[in-house]
Structures are given as C-alpha cells and as structure tokens.
Amino acid sequence: MIRLIVTLVAACLVVEGAEERIQWFRHDKFGMFIHWGPYSLLAGEWQGQRVPVGSEAEWIMQRFNIPVKQYREMAHGLDPEKFNAQEIVALAKRTGMKYVVITAKHHDGFAMYRSKVSNYNIVDWTAFKRDPVEELSRECRKAGIRFCVYYSHREDWDHPDGYGNNWDYDRTRKNFERYLEEKSKPQLRELLTNYGPLGLVWFDRGMDTPQQTAEFVKLVRTLQPNCLINGRVGNYAQDLMGDYQNMNDNGMPAGGLDEYWETPQTLNGTWGYSRFDQQWKTPGVVIRRLVEIVSKGGNYLLNIGPMADGTIPAPSVAVLEQVGAWMRKNGDSIYGTSACPMEFPWGRCTIKDNRLFLHVFSPPADGILRVSGLRNPVRTAYALLEPSRKLAVRGSGGVTAISLPPGGRDENDTVIVAEIAGKLETEPFVLTQGSDLGFELDTMAAATSGKAAKRFNREGKFHIARWTAPEDSATWTLLISQAGTYSVRIRYAARPESAGARYVLNVGPQSLEGAVEQTGPWYQYRTFDLGMAKIEKAGRYLVTMHPAESAGHNLMYLQSVVLQPVGVPQMID
Ligand code: JFZ
C-alpha cells in the first residue's frame, strides 16, 4: 500500500499537459524494444515444426495452435539464469537508446513480472522466482533511461475470454468484457502501480471500440498522468486516442508527417528469439533508418529478442555496439532535432535551431554537396566532427553548394553542419504533370498550416485531418505546362457529423466550393467531382483547400485532389 501511495505521489507531483508529456519522447528519438517470454524457450520451433525465417517467432503458439495446457507446461521451463538487467540497460545506453520497452505480457498471456492477478507469471510459474521487469525498471532508473512496458491488452491466447485463441476456446462463448475486467485492466493497474514512473505503455492490437479504448487511457492517465500512451491503445481504424501514432511494424512513411509517430522495427525478421533467423540488419542500415525516421519526424523503437537463458544474441549485440559508436560521435544530429522537409540524392537532413545536419550517405563523386530547396543563406558549414575546419560554401540559382572535406568520411553517414540565417525556409514541393497530363495532389506533397495535419492510420494509411476552421489549410504548388480546362475531383472520408459542412478549393485564381458528403463512420474514402478549373496559361499555380467556416470539429480525412485535363483519358481511382 505504501508503494502505491509513493508511486501516486511521485507520478502526480507534476501533471503535465499533452505537449509537455511528449517532450522527452520527441527529444530522445531512439528506444530499445525487448520481446522476451516463453516463446523464447521454443526459439522458433515446436514439435519439429519451424516458424519460417522472417516470420514472428513470438506468435508460435497461435501459428501451430499449441494447446494452452501444453504451452503452459512448456512455460514452466523458462529459467533465464543468465538474465542481467544491468548488462541489458548498459547495452541500450551504449547504443544511444534513451528508453526501454519490455513485453510485460505478450499475446500468449504469460506475465514476465510478479502478478497477483494470475499465477501464470515468471515468478510464480517458473523456477526463476525473480521479477525481471522490476530488475529492469530499477537499472533503467539508475542509468537515467526511461523504463516502459509493452502490454497486449486485447490479445490473450491463455485466457478463455481473451481475443485470439479459437483453437482451445469456443469464440461464441467468450465474454471479452470479463477478460478486460478480470485480467487486462487489473494487470495494467499492477504495472502502473508497482514499477515506479513509466515513460510509456506500449499497447498492441488496439481495442475494438472507442469506449473500451477510453477506459484504458483513463486508467493510465489516472495512475500515471505523465506516462505516454502509444497509438495502438485504440483501434487502428479509428481516431488516435494515444499520445502518438504507430507506424505498421517496420513501417516508414514516404515523407514527413505533422503528427508525432514511432516505428517499431526488428533487428532481424522476428521480434521474439528464433534460432533460425540470422538475417540481421547491418549497422549501416540501422543508422540510415534512424536518420530517415528522425528526418521525417518520428522515433525509432528497435528490437532485441533475448534467448530463453536471458542472453542477447551475439550478432544483435555486435550491430548495436557499432550503431552506438556512430551515435556517440553524431548523436547531436539526432537528439532534440526536428523533421526536415528536404531530401536529397545523397542523403537526408535533420534540424536543430539554426543548424541543418546534412546526413551524407552517398557523397557526390565531385565532392560537392548540392542543397536544393533551401531559401536561407548558409552562414558557415563544417563537418560535425571537425567544426574548426570551415568548408567552402557557394550559393547560386537556389542551390547551395558545399565542398566536402577530402577525409573524415563515415561509410554509413558523414554529418555536415550548415548554419543558416533565420528560421528554416524551404522551397515548396513542386508537382509536375504526369504522363497523362494529370496531377495527383496527395498528402505528402501538401504544405499544411493551422491545425490541418498529415496523419497516418493503419486503415487508410495517410490523409490530412484536423480541418476545423478556414485557417486550417493545405496548399500544393503545381507547375502546369498544359493550359486548358481541368476536371477537379477530391477524395476523402467524412463521418456523419461532417455532412453538409462547406469547404473551398482554390485552383489558382479560381475558387470551387463543395459540401461534405458523409462516407461512413471512419476511413471509408470516396471520390467526388468538384467541378472544372480553367487554366489560361502555363505556369506555377497554388491549389489551396480549407473549410469555408469554423466547424468546431474535423471536416474530413482528405487523401488527395486530382486535376485531369478534360479530353484526355481519366486517371483511374
Ligand atoms: C504486433 C505483435 O503482434 C507482434 O508480435 C509484435 O509484438 C509487434 C511489435 O506488434 O504485431 C503487429 C502489430 C501491428 C502491425 C503489424 C504487426 N501493424 O500495424 O501493421
């Protein structure tokens, strides 16, 4: 009881708002995911059947329909005598990872911590008798690393009322609400109460209804208001109810998003340990993925899958050590940076205050780094690792040319700093006409302003939402070489409450108006004709979309606007 009071007091001392709550996450960028449980004991094989390489070994119980009785019997044998929380946290720290997320309970229903809700846990069910989640939380606090837990709050192949096990249990007889009340919420309460302040709870396979989701959000906010909640707390097909969006596993958006996001990625092809999957990513792939994710405004949650005895597979340690060596020298170009809307044939960029970090993956043969799309003058440039050695900078025709230093190249990513004058200003992305002379104005090419935001959801992938008033807008820049009349079509999803709301689409000097038609409860996208736009002469045009008046709620989930010259074959949906 004392611990509960202490935790509540500690967690509630400073209750932050949503923006403050996520600041550490937006700064820290890079975390360690740990998938570890009885499936690690099976290591990708059950009775001679193997999980294919590249498939998820932690799903072995479901893949081979292993009866609960047999899986439970196997789980008794988990005894990770080599588990060393201090070593794991030290590896995370050496790699440059700032938060650790461990599977407290995965889909197999087994708790990797001391749970009073169910004795199907590592302390009561095995000879190990220790609580690895507690040991890890302690070592994280000592090392100054945020401790976080993964909890599969819907999927549970052990509990008769949990989601997912239809080989032992009759799905028509399941009482899911009973599962939530008997196990899922009580275990989450244990994790929020007994392990100190949590950085975040990483839910998985979101709840079916917004009401169920809201109950989990409320539980976290009540017990630990400063604890972040990932996007998978809720149903992927519905609005974000966590603090940030999750990409699909190993997912990567084409361009920057306006909503903060995180992508979970494996180091080989599986989250849980498989003795057959030796397809390890190289340090270079990991470093460049980290840079690309951060340059697009996201976090990288990179996974390790410890073996049953608690050790981390040596190949994954080797990769992380090399990533850490790069991070120790170049971390300033990652931590606390913001997304940068420019990308280049030679690499990507991140930005912090007035410093552009140019990540050179493939240096140009002539040794000249050309930075196109930057409006700011570059005051000075130098290699991050050699700041005293200034590089020659020339600017002409909208392109800034920086002479790369002859030596000091990093084979994975050489970071060049360009100090700019003023706040970053970049040339807009210019859409040119396709082979059919049409234009598809999609989310990634848009420049948003006001509350309008480029978002991701598993159901519809990418769209622009948060249209609530005329100042919430999206603008595309078009280079039209073909004057003439263009049909204008718009593709969006709109919920019933948006029906009838008016919006404006300006195509150059022309203004088209539309009234929202509802398309269904969530992301059911449809295409609507909006009329014709006449382009008198070739040139650069702006297309801008915004609500006609303040609606107070989101107008639509806009996927694209299509312009098609009248008289040529129509672009297919
Ligand atoms: C889930 C789990 O099923 C998996 O075992 C692992 O824990 C992973 C991190 O999360 O797998 C998913 C969940 C969501 C998507 C893909 C795999 N998704 O959004 O595409």
Side-chain angles (χ1 to χ4, degrees):
M1 188 55 183
I2 298 294
R3 185 188 285 193
L4 169 61
I5 295 168
V6 168
T7 302
L8 280 174
V9 167
C12 299
L13 276 180
V14 176
V15 177
E16 298 165 335
E19 202 36 53
E20 298 86 355
R21 190 163 50 218
I22 203 165
Q23 280 318 307
W24 72 263
F25 187 74
R26 298 187 72 135
H27 176 276
D28 289 353
K29 306 293 182 190
F30 195 21
M32 174 184 273
F33 217 164
I34 303 175
H35 277 71
W36 191 39
Y39 44 80
S40 312
L41 199 54
L42 298 179
E45 186 170 22
W46 172 257
Q47 294 179 345
Q49 303 173 87
R50 290 183 178 184
V51 174
V53 170
S55 297
E56 300 164 324
E58 71 283 358
W59 274 69
I60 192 165
M61 183 180 173
Q62 191 263 8
R63 173 181 287 273
F64 299 128
N65 285 4
I66 302 173
V68 163
K69 189 173 182 318
Q70 293 182 36
Y71 194 88
R72 280 185 160 230
E73 188 53 38
M74 175 276 297
H76 278 306
L78 186 63
D79 186 5
E81 76 281 351
K82 291 181 182 172
F83 172 74
N84 183 318
Q86 191 280 329
E87 282 179 5
I88 292 174
V89 172
L91 174 62
K93 199 164 175 107
R94 284 197 307 276
T95 308
M97 294 163 158
K98 298 288 188 182
Y99 59 108
V100 169
V101 183
I102 184 165
T103 49
K105 177 199 76 88
H106 204 264
H107 309 334
D108 59 6
F110 185 84
M112 289 295 282
Y113 71 94
R114 181 193 307 273
S115 172
K116 292 197 177 350
V117 173
S118 157
N119 70 345
Y120 191 45
N121 70 72
I122 192 164
V123 175
D124 300 318
W125 198 260
T126 77
F128 188 54
K129 297 301 173 209
R130 285 160 47 190
D131 182 341
V133 169
E134 197 282 325
E135 293 177 25
L136 208 54
S137 67
R138 186 169 5 102
E139 290 303 329
C140 280
R141 267 192 294 283
K142 280 162 55 179
I145 285 196
R146 300 261 176 176
F147 177 69
C148 313
V149 293
Y150 164 111
Y151 189 81
S152 178
H153 60 327
R154 182 183 73 150
E155 196 97 14
D156 192 312
W157 305 327
D158 185 73
H159 194 289
D161 294 323
Y163 194 91
N165 180 339
N166 300 316
W167 58 92
D168 284 310
Y169 305 118
D170 175 354
R171 75 168 71 206
T172 62
R173 300 168 59 84
K174 290 190 179 195
N175 179 337
F176 185 59
E177 284 298 334
R178 185 165 54 201
Y179 167 68
L180 298 181
E181 295 309 319
E182 269 184 14
K183 182 171 179 181
S184 189
K185 290 180 193 170
Q187 286 199 326
L188 178 60
R189 205 171 278 115
E190 289 182 317
L191 291 164
L192 288 162
T193 305
N194 302 333
Y195 296 93
L198 301 180
L200 65 89
V201 177
W202 212 93
F203 293 99
D204 203 357
R205 315 202 37 94
M207 275 298 143
D208 292 334
T209 71
Q211 293 72 20
Q212 289 168 335
T213 303
E215 288 169 28
F216 280 87
V217 171
K218 183 181 170 193
L219 190 50
V220 177
R221 298 283 189 247
T222 304
L223 290 179
Q224 294 213 21
N226 297 336
C227 174
L228 289 175
I229 299 170
N230 73 325
R232 288 186 195 170
V233 62
N235 188 302
Y236 311 125
Q238 293 162 13
D239 223 349
L240 177 67
M241 294 181 74
D243 293 300
Y244 65 90
Q245 277 291 16
N246 281 112
M247 286 295 122
N248 291 358
D249 282 28
N250 292 296
M252 179 77 77
L257 294 176
D258 295 325
E259 201 149 54
Y260 212 67
W261 56 276
E262 173 195 64
T263 180
Q265 302 209 348
T266 52
L267 252 182
N268 51 2
T270 172
W271 303 93
Y273 175 65
S274 164
R275 61 195 178 88
F276 309 107
D277 189 329
Q278 299 302 324
Q279 296 179 334
W280 304 103
K281 294 177 177 72
T282 64
V285 165
V286 171
I287 290 165
R288 293 182 182 188
R289 281 217 179 155
L290 172 63
V291 168
E292 181 177 359
I293 290 162
V294 171
S295 77
K296 291 175 176 177
N299 272 30
Y300 194 18
L301 184 59
L302 183 59
N303 184 70
I304 60 167
M307 299 155 78
D309 67 358
T311 54
I312 305 168
S316 52
V317 175
V319 172
L320 295 185
E321 295 289 13
Q322 292 189 59
V323 172
W326 184 88
M327 283 295 282
R328 278 189 291 280
K329 292 185 286 186
N330 299 282
D332 191 23
S333 70
I334 299 292
Y335 302 125
T337 60
S338 303
C340 186
M342 302 182 288
E343 60 180 84
F344 311 98
W346 42 262
R348 302 198 63 86
C349 72
T350 54
I351 183 162
K352 190 183 322 185
D353 305 324
N354 71 324
R355 288 185 295 160
L356 262 186
F357 295 102
L358 306 174
H359 296 267
V360 184
F361 298 159
S362 317
D366 64 1
I368 304 295
L369 209 54
R370 290 171 181 81
V371 181
S372 50
L374 177 64
R375 286 181 173 164
N376 309 70
V378 171
R379 286 195 299 216
T380 181
Y382 47 87
L384 178 63
L385 303 187
E386 209 177 352
S388 59
R389 183 178 185 173
K390 303 308 179 203
L391 304 176
V393 179
R394 288 185 310 286
S396 64
V399 176
T400 302
I402 299 173
S403 302
L404 289 177
R409 182 164 169 263
D410 182 304
E411 62 176 0
N412 295 316
D413 173 14
T414 304
V415 182
I416 300 296
V417 181
E419 291 187 7
I420 59 175
K423 188 172 174 348
L424 178 68
E425 284 184 62
T426 60
E427 293 298 338
F429 184 85
V430 178
L431 283 159
T432 54
Q433 274 169 284
S435 55
D436 61 357
L437 300 180
F439 287 92
E440 181 161 8
L441 286 55
D442 67 11
T443 51
M444 290 306 154
T448 50
S449 59
K451 295 192 188 71
K454 299 177 188 179
R455 306 185 68 208
F456 170 80
N457 70 83
R458 265 196 73 195
E459 192 71 14
K461 298 297 178 280
F462 300 95
H463 56 230
I464 298 174
R466 304 208 188 285
W467 310 88
T468 59
E471 59 269 22
D472 305 333
S473 71
T475 298
W476 294 266
T477 303
L478 279 59
L479 190 57
I480 301 181
S481 54
Q482 170 88 21
T485 301
Y486 286 75
S487 65
V488 182
R489 295 192 296 163
I490 184 170
R491 183 170 178 77
Y492 63 76
R495 299 181 60 196
E497 62 265 29
S498 304
R502 305 197 61 74
Y503 59 90
V504 175
L505 187 81
N506 295 318
V507 181
Q510 244 180 285
S511 188
L512 301 174
E513 278 223 3
V516 172
E517 295 187 41
Q518 66 143 331
T519 64
W522 286 102
Y523 305 133
Q524 292 79 13
Y525 299 93
R526 281 178 47 202
T527 302
F528 299 88
D529 286 324
L530 202 47
M532 298 290 178
K534 189 157 180 54
I535 303 298
E536 301 295 349
K537 60 184 175 51
R540 184 180 277 222
Y541 289 86
L542 295 186
V543 176
T544 300
M545 151 87 181
H546 63 78
E549 58 263 329
S550 291
H553 58 75
N554 180 41
L555 197 70
M556 63 171 65
Y557 302 97
L558 174 69
Q559 264 201 339
S560 62
V561 173
V562 173
L563 273 65
Q564 196 70 39
V566 174
V568 294
Q570 292 294 309
M571 284 174 84
I572 53 174
D573 260 354

